Amino acid sequence: MKRLVMASILALVIIAAAAAHPHVWIDSQFELRVSGNRIEAVLAYWTFDPFFTEMIVLDFGRGVNGTYTPAQVENIRANAFENLRRYGYFTYIDLDGRKIPVDSVRRFDVRLNEENFLEYSFEVSIDSTIDGRSSTLKVSMYDETFFTDIAYRNDYAIVSGADGSRYRKQLTRDRHMVPVWGPMTRETVEIVVERR
Amino acid sequence: MARIISSVMLIIVTTLPPPAQANPFFDRPPAGGSAAEAPAEMDHGPMGAVGWGDGFFGRLWADGTRTLSTWQRDLNRRLGLFLREVSQRGLSVGGWFGVLSFAFLFGLLHAVLPGHRKSVLISYCVADKARVVHGIGLGFLFAAMHALSAVVIVFVTVSLVEVSLGSTVARISRVTQIVSSVLLLAIGAAFCFLTGREILSHMRGADHGGHSHGGLCAATVATNHNPRTSKWVPVVLSTGIIPCPITTALLLFAVSVNAVVIGLAAVVALSAGLGVALAALAILTILVKEKVLALVEGKAGHLLHAGVELVGGVMILAVGAITLMLLL
């Protein structure tokens, strides 16, 4: 019986080693733009790991002091970002129980930050009025293929334009089942914005 | 009952083919659809997930891979910053030790995390009459081929390609995955044919009365002493030709910061870490197989042994077929 238990444990360890793993890491943060009683957009900021950063730099250059020209930004967007459209830009948004499709983004920008890490930013339009007394927005960012590991930074979200409005935010983690790959830990930021 | 459970466990171990991993920044999603739609429900809290994902093993899996990924994220960042710094200042003896240690740990951790065709390695160890020493050799050969293919692809690409290296390397990786899948199909088919033939001949012939070699008959024992090591080469080649994405990223990094020699040294250390982890996995698989099959004796045991090896061959075939379908 002891041998059977040992063999089973070893077998399970082997099973645990047989799925996928990331090769790109992203630290993410987003800004929720509010104007009056309207929720306008989610502006996402992604900071990449040094290896992916240098791969992009090798292909597209460093810009000047980390700032890229509009032509360079468009080049990077077209060749090293826009393909994420097929993956929903790894962004999942729920507003008051309603899915917000992320099939296009706007205001893509790219730069090298103070530590020389690549940073992407892009905006997802929401354009919705606060429903009733308050609206609840939930934002998750993850790659279901596990090629990219996205984790929220400590300062995971900021709210701008909410002068006079009250809001509260929290970061939660749950298990999300991905077909074939299995369960993953999913991080979700929940922001409740109250009507003025 | 113990025999049935053991056999089922072993079959479960070998029934997890990995889908192909495309680089989402450059490649289209594998067949089976993209993740462009938001999930049907955004589940929150412990009651959200369904099925085994919310059970003990699901939590263990999710939390375990999350933790390992976080460690790797940190190591990746430190290694990258360190390489950047040494590319500017040069490398002291202590610096070399630091780079090689980091890279070794990174390779070890990277291999422990799921991936790198470990299911092929496991399936092969189950399918063939491999011994512990073969497991060590296999693990290091897998790692070496995996890294070597990345080195070749990156340096050929850097020399010849004037447009985006990242997307070119990703496209080459895709081609090698297709070639690898075809080779695995051929190898899996060969395994199944040879093992199936062994099962049939054993069912027609062989007297198993009254002897014990840890539950195996003389013919099997003799074969175990002479495992078919010539099968290593195609298995290692077919899987190793797929370049390790982390190794390609590391090399591109090194090229970008003008630290090619350091990058190559880091790749060697990374491969050593990868090899240690893969060898350990191969040894684990071989030991599990030996322990489980030792529970069963006689003709039934031999047939189970051969049957398990046939399942291993089917798994290699399945890995090749499924990966190819997803890539095309």
Side-chain angles (χ1 to χ4, degrees), chain A residues 21-26 48 84 90 142-150, chain B residues 21 23-25:
Chain A
H21 59 300
H23 295 94
V24 177
W25 286 265
I26 296 174
F48 288 86
L84 295 183
F90 299 151
Y142 55 92
D143 175 6
E144 286 195 332
T145 72
F146 285 78
F147 194 93
T148 314
D149 180 37
I150 307 175
Chain B
Q21 259 193 322
N23 184 329
F25 290 88

Side-chain angles (χ1 to χ4, degrees), chain B residues 120-128 138 191 228 231-232 235:
Chain B
V120 176
L121 178 66
I122 293 165
S123 300
Y124 177 79
C125 291
V126 170
D128 199 16
L138 265 176
F191 260 108
R228 290 168 280 184
K231 287 186 294 190
W232 287 18
V235 173

Side-chain angles (χ1 to χ4, degrees), chain B residues 6-75:
Chain B
S6 311
S7 309
V8 167
M9 284 303 305
L10 210 48
I11 288 169
I12 289 172
V13 165
T14 58
T15 52
L16 287 174
Q21 259 193 322
N23 184 329
F25 290 88
F26 305 114
D27 289 334
R28 62 182 171 84
S34 71
E37 287 192 6
E41 293 176 8
M42 288 196 66
D43 302 317
H44 293 275
M47 298 304 292
V50 295
W52 76 277
D54 208 38
F56 170 73
F57 291 113
R59 284 198 299 276
L60 192 62
W61 179 297
D63 293 345
T65 51
R66 172 93 236 133
T67 302
L68 289 173
S69 188
T70 303
W71 290 350
Q72 195 175 4
R73 170 191 292 263
D74 189 47
L75 260 181

Side-chain angles (χ1 to χ4, degrees), chain A residues 58-78:
Chain A
L58 194 61
D59 285 343
F60 302 101
R62 289 188 182 277
V64 176
N65 295 325
T67 303
Y68 290 92
T69 64
Q72 286 175 315
V73 169
E74 174 54 26
N75 200 12
I76 293 171
R77 188 201 67 79

